[in-house]
């Protein structure tokens, strides 16, 4: 056995670079993987599934991947002498009478298609492709001899890929969800999951270099076979609270592209707040794959919730597709520079103790910092909260522009429809202006610039590279290949110009560069939604409106008996000082 020790003090990124030198880099993901996925363990028919996809379109919810879980194949129809129907490769023609036409319909809706595969039981005699498999493996068909799963055997791999998966791929299946759960050791002594991931990813790349798989983690080195399926998650606040930490720290072993069951898969109970908070995290996680079980009550369609939750879910799902230019650039950085989309904040601030104390806070690309709310909201305040450490510098709320001076830890409070996401002064974020069109390469980009410092950003695409620079008030766009793409410039939350084409510079020195956020409006909103005594609300509003000095305002709120209310008001005072 070879043993390697990587000792780099706190230079975590350099340690990972050398780890990748030894093990190989993380491959680049296809662009479609970064959009919204619809996944549910449910026995859809072709008609019901297509109707659902059309309803998402009608509701203005963009999707990029359709996951068809195991009920695409025969399950209960499998004769009992063959055992469980968990493994299967023959379409359930009662549900999908014309699979090729069904997949073609999904492709016309600009959706990629993946099928779930539990391969452990091999290929049995009830399968449509059994005669071809039996011929390759010289099986006794009269005795209905099964082709036992054996990825050590090249002949079995030939049967699996050519006779079993091949015809399904010819019908249009784009990639596979390899749902291996057994974990037995193969004849070679290697976990079969390793062999599955290696050969399945290799085969996917032979078919199309711009392809992927979805499978489980098999140990160090698994980053070479993205994407990672983290397993069936229980619907609970504890599950949600664990996932940000789990996702960011997986970067410590180079495993960066996790796909979780966003919203939870099983058990639990209906909790609209939990569902929305989980979706918010999903939008700011590597892969946003909504998933649930067969229960008629656990499905994740936004319209299963009240109108406020529904609208917020739709807006976040639209935001995910707006972020694809940013995500795809991070995808390049992962593949070619070894820099993950999601990193623990101590990668950037390794000598700061606070960076290690905020387990659910993480870097999201090189321009944003995220701290998802993963606990139930305070009922009296009608807001959730999370403690955030702001490193040195000026930070802005990505959505509202609320400002925070760094070198501080404090609780930040957000309504149920908000997630704490922060951009440092000088950050530049590219957004797809038309996320519902689902263009392969966006024809219009919004450049969102955060004032207070110079900054630069490089938008990376397959055939182009666009540098955005903001230096001493001048914003410049320079593309290696000039296109007819239109550019919209948003500075400090205000649209400055729209429709710019080609390479250009624009002078923003005369622009205010200030967001609309203000203390008085935010104070009124927080008091208005709080379910506390009206007289107390009036008194707080009056006092904080009359007192102008920051120190005296802070001294006053310390007299408030409700500690959570005090913390919430302190956050506003800190931003408004």
């Amino acid at each position: 056995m070879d043993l390697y020790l990587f000792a780099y003090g706190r230079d975590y990124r350099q340690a990972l670079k050398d780890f990748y030198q030894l093990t190989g880099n993380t491959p680049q993901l296809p662009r479609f993987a970064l959009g919204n996925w619809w996944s549910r363990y449910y026995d859809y028919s072709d008609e019901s599934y297509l109707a659902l996809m059309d309803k998402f379109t009608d509701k203005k919810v963009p999707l990029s991947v359709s996951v068809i879980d195991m009920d695409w194949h025969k399950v209960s129809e499998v004769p009992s002498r063959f055992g469980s129907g968990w493994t299967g490769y023959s379409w359930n023609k009662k549900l999908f009478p014309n699979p090729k036409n069904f997949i073609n319909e999904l492709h016309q809706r600009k959706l990629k298609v993946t099928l779930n595969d539990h391969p452990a039981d091999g290929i049995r005699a009830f399968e449509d492709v059994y005669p071809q498999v039996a011929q390759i493996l010289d099986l006794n068909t009269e005795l209905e001899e099964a082709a036992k799963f054996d990825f050590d055997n090249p002949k079995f791999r030939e049967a699996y890929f050519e006779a079993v998966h091949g015809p399904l791929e010819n019908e249009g299946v784009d990639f596979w969800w390899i749902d291996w759960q057994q974990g037995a050791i193969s004849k070679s002594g290697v976990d079969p999951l390793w062999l599955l991931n290696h050969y399945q990813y290799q085969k996917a790349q032979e078919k199309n270099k711009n392809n992927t798989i979805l499978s489980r983690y098999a140990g160090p080195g698994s980053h070479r076979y993205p994407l990672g399926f983290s397993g069936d998650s229980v619907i609970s606040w504890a599950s949600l609270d664990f996932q940000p930490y789990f996702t960011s720290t997986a970067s410590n072993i180079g495993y960066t592209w996790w796909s979780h069951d966003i919203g939870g898969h099983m058990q639990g109970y209906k909790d609209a707040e939990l569902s929305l908070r989980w979706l918010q995290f999903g939008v700011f996680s590597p892969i946003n794959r909504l998933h649930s079980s067969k229960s008629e009550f656990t499905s994740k369609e936004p319209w299963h919730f009240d109108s406020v939750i529904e609208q917020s879910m739709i807006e976040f799902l639209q935001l995910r597709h707006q972020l694809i230019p940013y995500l795809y650039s991070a995808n390049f950085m992962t593949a070619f520079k070894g820099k993950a989309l999601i990193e623990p904040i101590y990668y950037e601030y390794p000598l700061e103790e606070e960076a290690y104390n905020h387990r659910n806070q993480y870097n999201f690309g090189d321009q944003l910092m995220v701290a998802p709310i993963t606990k139930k909201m305070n009922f009296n305040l009608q807001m959730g909260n999370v403690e955030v450490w702001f490193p040195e510098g000026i930070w802005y709320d990505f959505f509202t522009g609320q400002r925070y001076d760094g070198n501080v830890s404090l609780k930040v409070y957000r309504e149920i429809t908000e997630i704490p996401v922060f951009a440092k002064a000088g950050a530049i974020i590219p957004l797809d202006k038309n996320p519902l069109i689902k263009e392969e390469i966006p024809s219009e980009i919004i450049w969102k610039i955060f004032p207070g410092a110079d900054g630069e950003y490089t938008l990376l695409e397959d055939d182009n590279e666009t540098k955005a620079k903001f230096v001493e008030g001048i914003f410049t766009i320079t593309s290696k290949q000039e296109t007819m793409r239109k550019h919209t410039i948003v500075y400090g939350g205000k649209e400055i110009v729209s429709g710019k084409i080609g390479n250009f510079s624009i002078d923003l020195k005369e622009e205010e560069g200030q967001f609309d956020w203000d203390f008085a409006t935010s104070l009124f909103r927080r008091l208005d939604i709080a379910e506390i005594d009206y007289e107390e609300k009036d008194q707080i509003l009056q006092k904080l409106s009359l007192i102008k000095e920051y120190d005296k305002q802070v001294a006053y709120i310390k007299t408030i008996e409700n500690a959570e209310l005090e913390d919430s008001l302190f956050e506003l005072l800190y931003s408004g000082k």
Side-chain angles (χ1 to χ4, degrees):
M1 176 186 291
D2 293 330
L3 183 65
Y4 296 87
L5 173 65
F6 293 84
Y8 294 82
R10 297 192 179 189
D11 191 351
Y12 308 116
R13 287 175 177 150
Q14 186 59 51
L16 282 169
K17 283 182 180 179
D18 285 357
F19 174 72
Y20 290 135
Q21 284 286 327
L22 178 67
T23 62
N25 292 334
T26 302
Q28 186 178 343
L29 297 186
R31 194 179 187 95
F32 68 76
L34 301 172
N36 298 314
W37 298 37
W38 178 255
S39 174
R40 188 184 180 194
Y41 175 35
Y42 191 77
D43 48 352
Y44 292 105
S45 68
D46 54 0
E47 291 183 354
S48 66
Y49 197 92
L50 292 172
L52 177 62
M53 296 300 101
D54 290 341
K55 187 165 185 178
F56 275 114
T57 300
D58 292 342
K59 290 283 188 176
K60 294 183 169 52
V61 175
L63 298 173
S64 62
V65 177
S66 286
V67 181
I68 317 297
D69 211 321
M70 60 177 287
D71 285 293
W72 68 269
H73 62 72
K74 297 174 184 177
V75 179
S76 60
E77 298 82 4
V78 174
S80 59
R81 68 181 183 277
F82 294 109
S84 165
W86 205 249
T87 298
Y89 299 100
S90 303
W91 283 98
N92 183 335
K93 292 297 182 70
K94 292 179 181 177
L95 298 177
F96 302 95
N98 190 333
K100 187 172 184 178
N101 182 66
F102 168 65
I103 295 175
N104 183 55
E105 288 284 344
L106 292 174
H107 285 163
Q108 288 181 17
R109 291 162 173 79
K110 297 184 179 180
L111 294 164
K112 296 296 184 180
V113 180
T114 182
L115 301 184
N116 176 277
D117 180 6
H118 296 94
D121 287 338
I123 302 105
R124 292 165 288 176
F126 65 84
E127 300 286 7
D128 297 342
V129 295
Y130 178 72
Q132 296 92 311
V133 171
Q135 184 175 7
I136 294 171
L137 294 174
D138 194 24
L139 302 177
N140 188 327
T141 56
E142 291 185 5
L143 296 178
E144 297 182 329
E145 182 183 2
K148 294 182 180 180
F149 180 87
D150 181 8
F151 250 46
D152 283 325
N153 182 352
K155 279 292 185 181
F156 179 85
R157 296 199 302 270
E158 177 188 348
Y160 179 82
F161 287 123
E162 304 304 328
V164 179
H165 277 197
L168 295 164
E169 291 168 0
N170 290 338
E171 289 178 323
V173 175
D174 295 294
F175 67 104
W176 290 91
W177 174 8
I178 308 302
D179 203 352
W180 178 266
Q181 298 172 329
Q182 285 67 27
I185 299 300
S186 62
K187 294 175 184 176
S188 63
V190 177
D191 185 337
L193 182 56
W194 263 113
L195 300 174
L196 266 167
N197 289 352
H198 175 78
Y199 287 113
Q200 190 73 58
Y201 190 80
Q202 189 178 69
K203 200 68 179 178
Q205 293 293 291
E206 288 176 8
K207 177 186 175 185
N208 182 350
K209 282 291 184 184
N210 191 31
N211 210 344
T212 191
I213 62 172
L214 178 63
S215 189
R216 296 173 189 259
Y217 178 76
S222 293
H223 63 273
R224 296 193 300 264
Y225 315 115
L227 301 159
F229 166 50
S230 60
D232 299 338
S233 55
V234 172
I235 300 171
S236 71
W237 285 96
S239 293
L240 171 58
D241 186 50
F242 177 67
Q243 283 189 356
Y245 171 78
F246 172 82
T247 305
S248 67
T249 56
S251 296
N252 293 338
I253 195 62
Y255 200 75
T256 62
W257 291 113
W258 275 114
S259 172
H260 305 303
D261 289 349
I262 297 301
H265 171 69
M266 59 188 183
Q267 301 176 19
Y269 55 88
K270 184 163 185 175
D271 186 332
E273 181 191 1
L274 172 61
S275 296
L276 180 51
R277 291 296 188 203
W278 214 325
L279 175 59
Q280 291 167 355
F281 166 65
V283 169
F284 289 94
S285 65
I287 302 297
N288 188 35
R289 179 178 54 84
L290 282 70
H291 188 71
S292 58
S293 71
K294 280 195 173 186
S295 168
E296 297 295 338
F297 302 100
T298 61
S299 195
K300 302 302 187 297
E301 294 95 331
W303 51 88
H304 283 185
F305 301 90
D306 69 45
S307 59
V308 172
I309 301 294
E310 176 187 4
Q311 185 58 36
S312 183
M313 285 181 165
I314 290 172
E315 290 172 2
F316 273 106
L317 289 164
Q318 291 172 350
L319 174 61
R320 176 69 184 197
H321 276 240
Q322 280 191 288
L323 284 165
I324 287 178
Y326 182 75
L327 298 170
Y328 199 60
S329 295
N331 177 28
F332 268 90
M333 294 299 290
T334 301
F336 299 108
K337 299 293 184 181
K339 189 177 186 304
L341 169 66
I342 288 184
E343 295 178 332
I345 53 175
Y346 51 73
Y347 278 28
E348 190 72 24
Y349 306 96
L351 300 180
E352 299 288 344
E353 183 178 349
E354 289 285 11
Y356 299 86
N357 295 335
H358 295 74
R359 64 195 298 273
N360 277 358
Q361 185 176 334
Y362 55 86
N363 295 325
F364 190 71
D366 59 5
Q367 304 286 303
L368 296 174
M369 182 175 70
V370 181
I373 292 174
T374 59
K375 292 180 171 58
K376 284 188 74 67
M377 68 180 176
N378 180 290
F379 178 78
N380 288 334
L381 299 187
Q382 290 293 294
M383 301 187 87
N385 73 79
V386 60
E387 186 170 295
V388 176
W389 174 59
F390 293 94
E392 183 180 1
I394 299 170
W395 296 84
Y396 296 95
D397 182 286
F398 174 74
F399 301 98
T400 67
Q402 183 174 348
R403 173 177 163 154
Y404 301 83
D405 291 336
N407 276 333
V408 68
S409 291
L410 74 159
K411 283 186 178 180
V412 301
Y413 287 76
R414 294 294 183 270
E415 295 184 39
I416 191 173
T417 56
E418 302 169 321
I419 177 176
V421 178
F422 305 98
K424 199 171 185 179
I428 303 171
I429 314 295
L431 300 171
D432 186 344
K433 192 172 185 178
N434 304 302
L436 300 182
I437 297 177
K438 296 195 289 189
E439 298 172 298
E440 182 65 24
I441 301 297
S443 59
E444 296 188 74
I445 291 286
I446 298 172
W447 296 96
K448 193 168 182 176
I449 309 165
F450 290 82
D454 293 345
E456 61 180 75
Y457 178 83
T458 302
L459 175 64
L460 299 170
E461 297 168 305
D462 291 330
D463 299 316
N464 202 2
E465 181 179 298
T466 301
K467 290 187 179 295
K469 289 189 176 182
F470 181 60
V471 180
E472 296 182 354
I474 305 295
F475 181 70
T476 303
I477 287 290
T478 309
S479 293
K480 280 189 174 180
Q481 298 182 29
E482 290 194 45
T483 68
M484 294 305 293
R485 171 181 283 161
K486 296 179 180 178
H487 302 269
T488 295
I489 313 304
V490 176
Y491 180 50
K494 296 181 177 62
E495 184 176 308
I496 305 301
V497 67
S498 180
K500 296 287 287 184
I501 296 175
N503 296 335
F504 63 90
S505 293
I506 183 169
D507 190 340
L508 300 177
K509 289 194 290 290
E510 300 301 317
E511 302 294 337
E512 289 186 10
Q514 298 297 319
F515 289 92
D516 289 335
W517 186 91
D518 73 272
F519 171 77
T521 303
S522 298
L523 172 63
F524 182 86
R525 174 64 183 174
R526 291 201 179 181
L527 292 173
D528 187 39
I529 65 174
E531 298 189 1
I532 59 176
D533 185 81
Y534 284 124
E535 290 185 3
E536 184 178 10
K537 290 185 183 186
D538 286 330
Q539 183 182 46
I540 292 171
L541 181 63
Q542 184 179 30
K543 285 282 189 181
L544 290 179
S545 299
L546 292 174
I547 302 171
K548 301 304 180 185
E549 296 86 354
Y550 172 72
D551 290 343
K552 291 182 179 179
Q553 289 175 322
V554 172
Y556 166 69
I557 66 170
K558 287 184 180 295
T559 66
I560 296 173
E561 293 183 1
N562 185 326
E564 289 276 14
L565 179 57
E566 178 190 339
D567 287 342
S568 173
L569 296 177
F570 178 75
E571 180 205 352
L572 294 182
L573 290 173
Y574 186 81
S575 291
K577 66 179 180 178

